[in-house]
Amino acid sequence: MLSVVAFAALCYISQAASKIEASWSFCTGSDATECAYGKFANISGETFTPNPPPVGQNFSIIGSGYSMEAIQDPSYEMHIQDGAFVNQVIKEDGCLPYEYKFPLNDGVLYYNGITCPIAVGPVSIDLTAFIASKAPDGTATTTLKLYDQPKQKGNCVLCTVTTLKITG
């Protein structure tokens, strides 16, 4: 019996997260059509600090760009997907922080809020993430769309896709 318990523990440990590969891209398909790049804002990049992101510690994801319009009261839609169990669409006020907890305490994604109002000029969207060391292998993908009006109305001004590949 003890050998079965030891084998199960070894299998659990071998499946635990030990590495995160982070990447980002522009939105594609209908998201790209809705959020035309360069029409209302542009995206110059997304940085991960530290890079590579650590397992079991908070890390930053900062999207940088340029807003071509002043935005008084932005909102956002964030679609989080991770395997078969996570398919969450979050619609919130762009100025306020928000916390999403992954099931089974495998991680947390914090939208840190934007300083409002947004002036014409440089803009950054800051997220903080935490992936627990017990998280299983997989790929978490987040599509973030920023709108220039409350309740995801008006124009979609920015859209990015962030991908975190988690391996043991």
Side-chain angles (χ1 to χ4, degrees):
M1 178 67 172
L2 184 57
S3 61
V4 171
V5 172
F7 178 72
L10 181 61
C11 287
Y12 178 77
I13 291 169
S14 69
Q15 294 296 317
S18 64
K19 180 180 176 184
I20 302 171
E21 293 178 36
S23 62
W24 77 278
S25 64
F26 295 107
C27 289
T28 59
S30 61
D31 288 332
T33 302
E34 179 187 9
C35 306
Y37 177 76
K39 187 172 182 179
F40 302 103
N42 63 33
I43 302 162
S44 54
E46 199 170 288
T47 58
F48 303 90
T49 306
N51 195 6
V55 173
Q57 298 176 31
N58 284 350
F59 58 93
S60 298
I61 305 167
I62 301 172
S64 302
Y66 189 90
S67 179
M68 296 171 200
E69 66 177 3
I71 303 172
Q72 293 300 312
D73 195 7
S75 60
Y76 69 92
E77 178 180 303
M78 186 165 46
H79 185 191
I80 303 170
Q81 294 177 291
D82 187 9
F85 297 106
V86 177
N87 186 9
Q88 184 73 37
V89 176
I90 299 160
K91 297 179 178 183
E92 292 292 331
D93 184 321
C95 304
L96 300 176
Y98 182 85
E99 175 184 292
Y100 173 76
K101 293 183 180 182
F102 284 83
L104 305 174
N105 295 319
D106 284 341
V108 183
L109 181 62
Y110 304 94
Y111 173 89
N112 296 323
I114 300 173
T115 302
C116 293
I118 299 171
V120 171
V123 62
S124 69
I125 299 175
D126 300 353
L127 304 172
T128 302
F130 173 86
I131 304 298
S133 59
K134 71 176 194 68
D137 288 359
T139 301
T141 304
T142 301
T143 302
L144 179 65
K145 298 189 286 189
L146 183 71
Y147 294 86
D148 62 2
Q149 299 292 317
K151 300 188 185 292
Q152 300 72 47
K153 304 292 183 203
N155 301 304
C156 180
V157 298
L158 293 172
C159 185
T160 63
V161 178
T162 304
T163 302
L164 302 176
K165 185 176 180 183
I166 304 156
T167 56

